[in-house]
Amino acid sequence: MASSAKTPGLDKPNPAEDWTVVLPRRGKQKRIFHKVIIHERQKQEQLWTPADIETNPERESKLMQKIQTCMRKLESSSFWLTFLDQLQTPEIFDRFLKAVGSEGKMQMVIYGIGSIESYEPPRLQLSLAILMKRMFSWIGEVEVFDPVISLAESRVLTALGCSVLTVNEQGRRQALRPTMFFMPHCDAELYENLLEANWRHDLLGNMILFGNSFEAYEQHVSECKNLRLADSRKHIIAIRQFVNELPIDSRKQIVAFRQFVKERSIDPFSDDQFRAFHGSSWHFFDIDPHSDLCDAKP
């Protein structure tokens, strides 16, 4: 999606603005009816307001304290220092600078963050994104969306300097300018939608993705030999030849994470803690303008 809608208003859609469907009789009227149905379906997919609108200053303050505590712990951890070291290696940092180019800034879009009020892994993921924003001046505005976000979470995210989208883009944001998509542990469908919406040399060249390993998806499809599964991952598999993937789960990174767990007296067997970052990779799209994406497209 080329444009985005941000939080200012959290009012619910006005039912009076819905389309009235008139049954067709023939010819041209039938085509009009078809267009009305599509428009209504798209409208239902896009408009979004929080389902949980119960909030109060105490709830928001408690959530803010949770996030700030999580950020302090992460910032002082071995994991963050190792992550930062990897990010500043020429192999990665130069790719960021190349993607930013003359724009000077790279926006960050966070999809599928989950409930930052209810669970620690989403708070860890959000903390990582905010720490990156504070560390690097070339990271611009941060936009966030997950359909489970509550009104309290939306207000806290805004107070942290993020913009919460009021449109469910279904992951279909077009990278018309340099964009980092921050999507650890999202559903494969979101990665598929993102790639499909950006299946052009210039758009893919504007993208950097932090999320699930595309190599792991390809390996899983290869091992399962399931046509339906392969079809649901077709863009992920097709783009693999154009992606330089750098996992954060190197041996050094895993050791650092275990040290982080030990430092914070976290249960080392906690799936929630480990899964916050496990299996994530940086994806850089190396697209030759002369290559034919049509041949690669499934």
Side-chain angles (χ1 to χ4, degrees):
M1 183 170 298
S3 59
S4 61
K6 302 175 186 177
T7 52
L10 291 170
D11 297 332
K12 293 184 177 180
N14 183 358
E17 294 178 354
D18 290 346
W19 287 89
T20 300
V21 177
V22 180
L23 292 176
R25 285 179 289 183
R26 68 182 71 179
K28 186 175 180 180
Q29 291 174 322
K30 186 173 183 179
R31 289 192 295 271
I32 293 174
F33 172 72
H34 179 65
K35 290 172 70 174
V36 168
I37 290 296
I38 290 176
H39 189 101
E40 176 67 14
R41 182 170 65 248
Q42 290 174 342
K43 188 176 181 180
Q44 290 173 352
E45 287 177 350
Q46 294 173 357
L47 296 179
W48 175 86
T49 54
D52 179 0
I53 58 173
E54 298 295 329
T55 189
N56 55 65
E58 182 181 0
R59 179 179 175 182
E60 293 171 19
S61 176
K62 185 177 180 181
L63 175 55
M64 179 64 82
Q65 290 174 11
K66 282 184 178 181
I67 294 173
Q68 289 175 339
T69 298
C70 187
M71 288 178 62
R72 285 194 297 269
K73 289 180 178 180
L74 184 60
E75 190 173 20
S76 62
S77 71
S78 301
F79 176 83
W80 165 248
L81 295 176
T82 305
F83 179 87
L84 197 59
D85 284 345
Q86 184 191 32
L87 200 60
Q88 295 182 100
T89 60
E91 186 178 16
I92 291 182
F93 197 72
D94 289 351
R95 291 177 180 273
F96 276 108
L97 295 182
K98 180 181 177 182
V100 170
S102 60
E103 290 280 338
K105 294 281 186 180
M106 168 175 281
Q107 66 176 342
M108 181 189 292
V109 177
I110 304 175
Y111 284 138
I113 190 67
S115 173
I116 58 174
E117 185 174 24
S118 303
Y119 304 105
E120 184 75 358
R123 287 194 289 271
L124 283 167
Q125 292 167 0
L126 177 66
S127 296
L128 185 66
I130 292 177
L131 288 175
M132 288 176 60
K133 158 74 173 174
R134 293 180 178 179
M135 178 63 64
F136 302 108
S137 60
W138 45 266
I139 296 180
E141 61 181 334
V142 178
E143 296 177 314
V144 184
F145 184 80
D146 192 299
V148 306
I149 289 174
S150 66
L151 180 57
E153 290 170 325
S154 177
R155 289 182 172 173
V156 170
L157 284 164
T158 300
L160 288 167
C162 304
S163 298
V164 180
L165 302 178
T166 58
V167 168
N168 186 349
E169 300 177 335
Q170 302 287 344
R172 296 186 181 277
R173 169 78 66 91
Q174 285 192 321
L176 300 177
R177 57 193 175 106
T179 307
M180 180 198 306
F181 290 97
F182 189 90
M183 303 171 61
H185 301 163
C186 285
D187 291 337
E189 181 182 0
L190 278 181
Y191 300 114
E192 275 289 309
N193 290 350
L194 181 66
L195 291 172
E196 184 179 27
N198 289 279
W199 204 262
R200 280 177 17 198
H201 299 92
D202 57 331
L203 298 179
L204 289 169
N206 282 337
M207 287 173 47
I208 290 176
L209 171 66
F210 181 71
N212 296 355
S213 168
F214 285 4
E215 181 180 3
Y217 278 125
E218 184 180 46
Q219 182 178 353
H220 181 61
V221 168
S222 176
E223 292 173 352
C224 289
K225 302 185 185 306
N226 183 298
L227 292 178
R228 181 174 294 181
L229 178 65
D231 186 64
S232 69
R233 310 285 191 271
K234 56 188 178 183
H235 288 87
I236 294 174
I237 305 306
I239 202 62
R240 281 279 295 132
Q241 62 183 297
F242 301 110
V243 172
N244 189 326
E245 179 176 330
L246 299 173
I248 68 163
D249 285 348
S250 63
R251 184 176 182 84
K252 184 178 180 182
Q253 206 79 4
I254 293 174
V255 170
F257 184 84
R258 288 175 177 167
Q259 181 64 27
F260 169 54
V261 169
K262 183 178 179 181
E263 289 167 358
R264 302 306 163 193
S265 300
I266 299 171
D267 177 7
F269 300 103
S270 169
D271 287 341
D272 284 344
Q273 293 298 330
F274 184 65
R275 286 184 349 206
F277 305 111
H278 174 64
S280 297
S281 294
W282 289 106
H283 298 80
F284 302 96
F285 300 87
D286 296 323
I287 311 294
D288 185 339
H290 301 294
S291 62
D292 193 348
L293 283 175
C294 292
D295 290 343
K297 188 170 183 179

